[in-house]
Amino acid sequence: MNYYSRKSVANFALLSLLFTAVLYFCISSTSTSNPLLPFLRNHNFCSTPPNSMITSFPVDELEAALEKASMPNKTVIIAVVNRAYVEQQADDTSTTTTMLDLFVESFWLGEETRPLLDHLLLVAVDQTAYDRCMFKRLHCYRLVTDGVDFGSEKVYMSSEFIKMMWSRTQFLLDVLNRGYSFVFTDTDVMWLRNPFTKLSKNETEDLQISTDIFNGKPRSEDNMLNTGFYYVRSNNKTISLFDTWYNMKDNSTGKKEQDVLCDLMKQGFFRQLGLRVTFLPTDHFSGFCHDTKDYWSVCTVHSNCCRHITAKIFDLNNILRDWRRFKGIVDQFPIDIARNKTMDFRWSPHTGCINSWGPSKASNATNEL
């Protein structure tokens, strides 16, 4: 073999070796144990050519979270939490229970409510709340509001409380715009039975909303609505409602979003939009403003008419204790005997929430978050 032939073979061998080395690095670069991984990533030796037909789009975290939590009919359950609702209160050394603990526990104790946790999306307005949500392995979304700290307790009707309520309304408008219907629930609502059994499945119902005090007429706009629990279907009418509702925030100084929604209702805006609205009875969707006496019908219990988180936690602990006592009898006896034994059951007095208003205001606590 002459000199040039030997040189050609050597060059071919060298090129083959280089090709093999590059191929090896491309394949092995997916391994985190490869010490050259940072270098290879920085230099993009094996990256897709810039003229490729493949286009990379930014991931929309909210859409991904909604899709993951959604029921087949694009319905989700949404609750909003901040640090004050996921951590023990500094001024309460009597318990290590948090509001989020009680909320999730109610799904565990309730009738046909455990599977609903798969469709609950917790919206965290601060990093601590998000971390705690992730620790509990729930569906979580981090809602960021620039320049605002929503972590600490927002006392009822304080300016920070009102800001947080409007931020919530804006977020829910975004959800509706994406085509998702939802049940919104405050985290101080205990889910004792599956509420979907009492909510209308009629798709012409646009909004089904809880009340502080129910007047017995589900279509009457004289009911005192409460935005702590409601079911809204995504359509043009409800999107228009939430859009108008949110845009009134700057002209509603000193009012929380619930007050503004009440104003819209009283001004005839519901009828103007052609909204079909049902006001939910307190027999099924109860609260501290007006207790249901029927353990056999109640689906949810809301600690409305209450001012502070510590008071809510104290009284909701009692609610779950009462519910365990009721369920203990129901599980032990035939239904007719259980009904007789629970005929006189009453909820424990809501002393924590009554006292949260102070001596002069306790008797007037008829509106709440």
Side-chain angles (χ1 to χ4, degrees), residues 4 115 134 148 151 155 164 181-182 203 233 252 286 363:
Y4 293 104
M134 293 296 291
V148 182
V155 176
M164 189 163 69
S181 303
F182 59 83
E203 294 188 0
R233 295 185 186 276
S252 306
S286 184
S363 61

Side-chain angles (χ1 to χ4, degrees), residues 185-211:
T185 174
D186 280 343
T187 46
D188 63 340
V189 175
M190 301 294 99
W191 287 49
L192 304 181
R193 285 189 178 89
N194 182 351
F196 288 99
T197 62
K198 300 298 183 182
L199 294 171
S200 174
K201 298 177 178 61
N202 189 333
E203 294 188 0
T204 64
E205 294 285 346
D206 300 305
L207 175 64
Q208 301 175 65
I209 189 165
S210 63
T211 56

Side-chain angles (χ1 to χ4, degrees), residues 266-328:
K266 298 299 183 185
Q267 293 164 11
F269 191 64
F270 287 8
R271 296 188 298 276
Q272 180 182 330
L273 287 177
L275 282 170
R276 188 172 175 85
V277 180
T278 296
F279 298 93
L280 300 172
T282 51
D283 282 348
H284 304 317
F285 301 90
S286 184
F288 289 0
C289 295
H290 188 261
D291 277 331
T292 179
K293 295 180 174 61
D294 190 354
Y295 273 77
W296 291 88
S297 296
V298 66
C299 290
T300 62
V301 177
H302 184 194
S303 63
N304 50 6
C305 292
C306 193
R307 194 158 187 258
H308 291 291
I309 293 177
T310 51
K312 289 172 178 280
I313 291 174
F314 178 83
D315 286 341
L316 289 175
N317 255 318
N318 289 337
I319 291 293
L320 292 187
R321 184 194 63 198
D322 294 342
W323 180 253
R324 289 188 189 95
R325 186 165 62 99
F326 168 77
K327 289 294 293 178

Side-chain angles (χ1 to χ4, degrees), residues 10 79 85-86 117 142 149 155 166 172 188 215 230 281 293 304 318 329 335:
Y85 273 57
V86 304
L117 275 177
R142 173 73 167 93
D149 175 22
V155 176
W166 282 119
L172 295 174
D188 63 340
N215 67 8
Y230 57 90
K293 295 180 174 61
N304 50 6
N318 289 337
I329 293 176
I335 188 168

Side-chain angles (χ1 to χ4, degrees), residues 27-261:
I27 294 173
S28 63
S29 64
T30 57
S31 170
T32 56
S33 62
N34 183 0
L36 294 178
L37 180 57
F39 173 81
L40 292 171
R41 283 178 175 165
N42 289 337
H43 288 80
N44 294 317
F45 286 127
C46 308
S47 62
T48 304
N51 293 329
S52 170
M53 295 296 292
I54 300 174
T55 305
S56 177
F57 292 97
V59 175
D60 187 326
E61 293 182 7
L62 176 55
E63 186 67 32
L66 288 168
E67 185 175 317
K68 192 173 182 181
S70 176
M71 301 175 191
N73 64 351
K74 290 194 74 173
T75 298
V76 293
I77 302 166
I78 296 176
V80 177
V81 290
N82 67 350
R83 186 176 71 243
Y85 273 57
V86 304
E87 287 188 340
Q88 180 187 359
Q89 298 301 296
D91 58 347
D92 183 11
T93 58
S94 62
T95 179
T96 58
T97 301
T98 69
M99 187 68 76
L100 180 59
D101 292 334
L102 292 173
F103 181 61
V104 175
E105 179 72 3
S106 74
F107 282 83
W108 176 258
L109 295 173
E111 294 181 0
E112 300 180 4
T113 50
R114 292 182 191 179
L116 296 179
L117 275 177
D118 292 336
H119 304 293
L120 170 67
L121 177 62
L122 271 186
V123 179
V125 297
D126 60 74
Q127 191 60 41
T128 300
Y130 179 77
D131 291 342
R132 189 62 63 93
C133 175
M134 293 296 291
F135 179 77
K136 288 183 175 292
R137 300 182 182 277
L138 301 169
H139 297 304
C140 313
Y141 175 73
R142 173 73 167 93
L143 177 62
V144 178
T145 304
D146 293 337
V148 182
D149 175 22
F150 286 140
S152 60
E153 177 182 1
K154 306 307 175 192
V155 176
Y156 177 63
M157 289 308 295
S158 66
S159 61
E160 289 299 306
F161 168 85
I162 292 173
K163 286 180 184 178
M164 189 163 69
M165 295 300 100
W166 282 119
S167 176
R168 182 177 83 179
T169 304
Q170 183 183 31
F171 170 79
L172 295 174
L173 171 60
D174 190 4
V175 173
L176 288 176
N177 273 316
R178 293 166 183 264
Y180 288 89
S181 303
F182 59 83
V183 170
F184 176 80
T185 174
D186 280 343
T187 46
D188 63 340
V189 175
M190 301 294 99
W191 287 49
L192 304 181
R193 285 189 178 89
N194 182 351
F196 288 99
T197 62
K198 300 298 183 182
L199 294 171
S200 174
K201 298 177 178 61
N202 189 333
E203 294 188 0
T204 64
E205 294 285 346
D206 300 305
L207 175 64
Q208 301 175 65
I209 189 165
S210 63
T211 56
D212 283 336
I213 299 175
F214 182 62
N215 67 8
K217 301 174 183 178
R219 300 292 181 190
S220 171
E221 292 184 353
D222 291 329
N223 281 296
M224 296 177 61
L225 63 79
N226 187 295
T227 54
F229 182 96
Y230 57 90
Y231 179 25
V232 58
R233 295 185 186 276
S234 175
N235 57 42
N236 290 336
K237 291 183 289 184
T238 56
I239 290 171
S240 294
L241 171 64
F242 273 68
D243 186 51
T244 302
W245 183 16
Y246 177 71
N247 285 328
M248 291 185 68
K249 72 181 191 309
D250 295 329
N251 298 320
S252 306
T253 304
K255 290 185 176 182
K256 62 183 183 297
E257 43 46 270
Q258 179 175 298
D259 298 333
V260 176
L261 186 62

